[in-house]
Amino acid sequence: MIGLDTNVLVRLIIEDDKAQAALARTAVRNAVASGKRCFVSHVVLVEFAWVMESVFERTRPDICRFLDAILDSEDLCVKDEDVVSAALDHYRTGSFDFADALIALGNHARGCTTTLTFDRKAARLPEFQHLAQTSP
């Protein structure tokens, strides 16, 4: 198995740089042809979603389609695919950030009873516990 960095995943999906996209496609095809799969970590997925939103100004439905395609790819191995899929469902249907949903569900899957946060928006997910700051 070989790992993919965010910039390679972006080039595979967006093809904004034709030369880099071609290199990325060739590298992935060669890996697959030699019997390897390409690993996509949680960090890469979170960065990917952020880049799609902030740099390429893609809509949430577009980002969900891209992430669905990544999850559905036979050539890619996504870490904790079931957790990522559940986080994607939260992202798709709610007002939660993909990163927040993945943090919450990833921690829960690892046995955490809650995840502490100061982020009020993230705390709307039941897996988070908001730490309220009290004024003196």
Side-chain angles (χ1 to χ4, degrees):
M1 189 164 354
I2 62 169
L4 298 183
D5 191 12
T6 307
N7 50 32
V8 172
L9 192 60
V10 167
R11 295 304 158 322
L12 287 170
I13 302 290
I14 298 296
E15 298 187 11
D16 60 314
D17 180 309
K18 298 294 183 194
Q20 287 186 354
L23 285 171
R25 274 193 312 276
T26 299
V28 169
R29 281 189 195 128
N30 289 344
V32 171
S34 69
K36 296 177 183 169
R37 292 179 72 204
C38 299
F39 179 75
V40 181
S41 71
H42 288 181
V43 172
V44 167
L45 290 172
V46 167
E47 285 184 346
F48 177 85
W50 182 86
V51 167
M52 290 298 107
E53 185 177 309
S54 64
V55 176
F56 291 100
E57 299 178 345
R58 296 300 177 116
T59 65
R60 186 175 290 238
D62 284 343
I63 296 167
C64 289
R65 279 192 295 279
F66 295 146
L67 291 171
D68 282 332
I70 292 166
L71 286 170
D72 291 341
S73 174
E74 292 292 322
D75 300 334
L76 302 178
C77 175
V78 175
K79 179 181 179 181
D80 302 325
E81 190 171 324
D82 56 334
V83 172
V84 172
S85 181
L88 180 54
D89 287 343
H90 278 309
Y91 177 67
R92 184 187 328 274
T93 61
S95 59
F96 308 110
D97 291 336
F98 178 67
D100 291 338
L102 189 55
I103 290 166
L105 296 174
N107 288 355
H108 182 74
R110 295 288 183 252
C112 297
T113 57
T114 193
T115 296
L116 303 177
T117 187
F118 288 110
D119 184 337
R120 291 175 197 258
K121 187 177 174 185
R124 290 184 282 165
L125 283 161
E127 294 83 7
F128 277 109
Q129 178 186 340
H130 185 253
L131 294 177
Q133 195 171 7
T134 57
S135 300

